[in-house]
Amino acid sequence: MPHVLIAGGGVAALEAALALQALAPDPFDVELLGPEPRFWYRPMSVAEPFGLGEARHYELSSLAAEAGAHFTLGELQGVDVAAHEARTSVGAIAYDVLLVAIGASAVAAVPGAETFRGPADTDTIRGILAEVVGGHVHRIAFVVPSGATWALPAYELALMTASHVRAHDVEGVELVLVTPEEEPLQLFGRAGSDAVQRLLEEHEIEVVTLATASEFSYGALSLSPEGRIPCDRVIALPRLRGPRLDGLPQTLDGFLPVDGHGSVVGLEDVYAAGDITSFPVKQGGIATQLADAASQSIAARLGADLVPQPFRPVLRGMLLTGSTPRYLRRELGASAESALAGPELLWWPPAKIVGRYLSPFLARLAGAELPASIPSVEGTVEIEVELTDRELERHGAPRHEPEEAPDETVGDVMSTEPLVVAPEDTLGEVADRMRHSDVGCAAVAHYGRLIGILTSRDLLRAFAARVHPSEARAREWMTADPVTVPVSAGLEHAIAQMDTHAIHHLPVVDGERPVGMLGYRRAVSRTRASDVGLGF
Ligand SMILES: Cc1cc2nc3c(=O)[nH]c(=O)nc-3n(C[C@H](O)[C@H](O)[C@H](O)COP(=O)(O)OP(=O)(O)OC[C@H]3O[C@@H](n4cnc5c(N)ncnc54)[C@H](O)[C@@H]3O)c2cc1C
């Protein structure tokens, strides 16, 4: 029986196990591997401090058994792709197909602020609410950080705090929501933003948009590049990062690049789904949709008679407000105007995390009675549209181009003969060529298209993991989807990119073709920035 190893015990992992159970005519041997024995349903943790809900958890071994799988307590640490072997905290596990669904790590984004990551932080919020009711706290800022995060809980916490303050008749409390978005909950399109804006106004919550919070200290939240918001407490959402996994290509932030079927780019029999992928929107519903696409592909790969359908992202959010929730829905590839929002149900069952297999499965566990068919809801459109590259870029970290032509461009300063290697080249070959060309990094290109960058630091990491130089491949150790600049970009812009991402080498591209490499020292030495020192 083919062995499918699913690393993870969260939303994407469970959806995948359930999907494989439904799709496979002959059962596969499906193993879930996770370091935590329970599955946590985290979205409801926002309601806990207000006594409006509870973040439930379930034993993973029972859930896995119900999904036709078995659960192993352990942690994925790396992968030997050639040997089809996962390196884990409980030894090597052989697989036919591996699905990586290990989620993302939540890291504090605003020094000095309280970070709300979910169930572990509900007591912190309870403490702040007690201070508000006791009259000791008068102004609270809720922060959506820049970068990869799931913004909804910041809005929910702000709205529920406003309702809590009203319910306790506390006077003189001001709430402010700080976000880098152009409009509140921008991803949910026009209807979503308008609905949330109205709610924020009704609850008298001030909104500061296009703002990046950098630090909370001395009674004020500092914004970058400038601005201060006086407040007594700051509650910030975390930024998400992917943990390092030896032998897999990862982006700068640790995410795994996948194609539309969840296959990890450049690797055979390795798939990924959920927050660990480089798909820019980190959300439970998106995680299940990726898991469904990957499961179809895995089932077909192992002999099931089906044509795998690619991932077509639809964003569904249930916004808790302290009274009637709002349902928000947007097909990410469609126009922002086609979004839907309102107090009426837009999907069924009305779960916060929507998964084709997971929602009914969890609803049954929770004891909910489900009708056989989905109630039809007027106004719901069922159009699934492919996400275009332009939309992806719009939802990802935007790559701002300078508005005015600067004096010196990247093309004037870059090295024009970058070392370009192939994804299949071994690390030994790459190291030889780097030494021969006397450079600290190589661009990795597939049929002329830049897909990654490999630096001397990556080589060090690989050799420290005891890989063999003539077996390990560039594609397994490179940083995938690297940050790039076009030849015509201004030098100041390129330096800002390197500062933001803390990198020292920036590939320069013409379209998708690598045509140069820009080094940090060289770039800085040509600009005014050299006056302020390099910082290393
Ligand atoms: C407070 C809060 C509210 C949210 N609200 C919503 C909402 O309303 N709607 C929505 O759709 N989404 C919401 N989300 C986001 C949603 O929870 C995540 O997007 C979703 O859980 C991602 O699924 P995942 O499977 O990728 O990761 P997770 O669900 O995080 O699962 C990761 C799993 O991998 C395991 N793991 C970690 N490291 C390893 C390793 N090395 N090896 C093996 N296993 C590992 C973990 O123990 C865990 O079991 C919310 C999140 C939070 C924190």
Side-chain angles (χ1 to χ4, degrees):
M1 213 189 276
H3 182 219
V4 180
L5 177 64
I6 302 179
V11 169
L14 268 182
E15 173 80 8
L18 290 162
L20 286 171
Q21 188 186 35
L23 297 170
D26 305 315
F28 310 135
D29 174 28
V30 180
E31 177 177 7
L32 258 61
L33 171 84
E36 143 86 52
R38 290 179 199 90
F39 168 80
W40 282 88
Y41 195 76
R42 291 179 297 175
M44 289 313 287
S45 59
V46 285
E48 256 182 14
F50 307 91
L52 297 173
E54 175 197 6
R56 292 193 185 196
H57 58 267
Y58 305 89
E59 288 304 315
L60 261 172
S61 49
S62 327
L63 295 192
E66 291 236 14
H70 55 101
F71 175 67
T72 303
L73 193 64
E75 190 178 65
L76 180 73
Q77 294 168 337
V79 182
D80 184 338
V81 175
H84 275 62
E85 219 170 60
R87 298 204 187 111
T88 82
S89 57
V90 289
I93 301 181
Y95 64 81
D96 290 297
V97 176
L98 170 68
L99 173 68
V100 183
I102 63 169
S105 312
V107 296
V110 183
E114 301 292 353
T115 303
F116 184 76
R117 289 156 301 181
D121 299 310
T122 53
D123 278 346
T124 307
I125 307 295
R126 265 194 209 102
I128 294 175
L129 292 177
E131 289 181 307
V132 172
V133 173
H136 309 298
V137 164
H138 303 286
R139 195 166 154 84
I140 309 177
F142 298 86
V143 175
V144 178
S146 58
T149 191
W150 172 229
L152 201 77
Y155 290 87
E156 295 181 306
L157 288 172
L159 289 167
M160 286 193 280
T161 302
S163 301
H164 190 82
V165 167
R166 259 188 218 173
H168 286 79
D169 276 335
V170 191
E171 297 286 329
V173 176
E174 293 175 349
L175 305 179
V176 51
L177 193 137
V178 180
T179 176
E181 300 160 289
E182 280 169 39
E183 292 179 46
L185 284 185
Q186 187 181 355
L187 267 182
F188 281 99
R190 179 76 288 127
S193 280
D194 286 351
V196 175
Q197 183 69 52
R198 269 196 305 278
L199 280 169
L200 293 166
E201 280 167 18
E202 278 164 32
H203 287 75
E204 296 177 2
I205 299 170
E206 184 192 342
V207 185
V208 181
T209 53
L210 290 171
T212 303
S214 55
E215 188 183 7
F216 174 50
S217 59
Y218 301 110
L221 177 67
S222 306
L223 305 180
S224 174
E226 57 186 5
R228 278 164 72 78
I229 298 178
C231 47
D232 304 318
R233 292 282 180 276
V234 175
I235 300 169
L237 297 184
R239 197 167 281 145
L240 299 180
R241 293 270 181 277
R244 276 279 153 217
L245 291 170
D246 289 344
L248 295 181
Q250 289 181 277
T251 65
L252 203 59
D253 289 334
F255 299 120
L256 301 175
V258 289
D259 65 15
H261 296 279
S263 173
V264 175
V265 173
L267 302 189
E268 243 179 45
D269 296 331
V270 182
Y271 292 76
D275 286 356
I276 185 63
T277 69
S278 61
F279 189 75
V281 183
K282 308 291 174 199
Q283 196 235 7
I286 295 291
T288 63
Q289 292 164 40
L290 264 164
D292 289 343
S295 304
Q296 288 188 21
S297 210
I298 293 170
R301 158 88 183 77
L302 296 179
D305 183 18
L306 58 91
V307 180
Q309 297 300 308
F311 165 58
R312 293 200 167 99
V314 180
L315 202 57
R316 298 179 180 90
M318 186 212 279
L319 178 78
L320 300 179
T321 65
S323 55
T324 314
R326 296 294 188 278
Y327 295 87
L328 316 169
R329 182 186 191 279
R330 176 166 181 218
E331 283 137 32
L332 284 181
S335 94
E337 307 305 319
S338 67
L340 296 171
E344 306 83 21
L345 293 184
L346 293 179
W347 57 88
W348 188 266
K352 261 180 92 55
I353 293 184
V354 185
R356 179 170 179 188
Y357 301 99
L358 187 68
S359 309
F361 178 73
L362 291 180
R364 261 196 311 278
L365 281 182
E369 294 282 332
L370 296 184
S373 63
I374 299 171
S376 82
V377 178
E378 209 180 325
T380 304
V381 279
E382 286 298 338
I383 317 159
E384 306 254 321
V385 184
E386 281 274 17
L387 193 67
T388 63
D389 286 350
R390 197 170 55 81
E391 281 287 328
L392 264 173
E393 191 134 293
R394 221 150 65 75
H395 296 305
R399 295 175 186 184
H400 297 294
E401 297 303 329
E403 278 164 17
E404 286 173 27
D407 294 335
E408 209 161 16
T409 66
V410 165
D412 299 328
V413 183
M414 69 184 192
S415 65
T416 48
E417 288 183 2
L419 174 61
V420 181
V421 300
E424 292 305 320
D425 286 348
T426 65
L427 295 193
E429 288 165 344
V430 176
D432 260 358
R433 293 181 60 193
M434 277 168 68
R435 200 178 51 142
H436 185 252
S437 316
D438 195 20
V439 292
C441 75
V444 185
H446 190 48
Y447 294 113
R449 190 171 76 84
L450 182 80
I451 60 164
I453 179 172
L454 198 71
T455 66
S456 43
R457 201 183 251 203
D458 295 322
L459 293 181
L460 203 63
R461 203 164 51 83
F463 297 141
R466 305 278 188 275
V467 299
H468 199 286
S470 51
E471 281 173 6
R473 308 276 159 185
R475 60 178 155 76
E476 296 161 5
W477 293 90
M478 66 185 188
T479 295
D481 294 341
V483 181
T484 60
V485 279
V487 186
S488 57
L491 209 49
E492 298 275 4
H493 165 67
I495 293 169
Q497 288 285 315
M498 289 196 266
D499 281 337
T500 307
H501 298 282
I503 50 181
H504 294 167
H505 304 279
L506 196 55
V508 184
V509 287
D510 177 7
E512 295 184 313
R513 198 166 52 88
V515 291
M517 191 65 76
L518 188 69
Y520 189 77
R521 277 171 194 270
R522 188 174 157 83
V524 167
S525 69
R526 295 282 286 262
T527 68
R528 292 184 309 278
S530 56
D531 301 343
V532 293
L534 297 181
F536 60 88

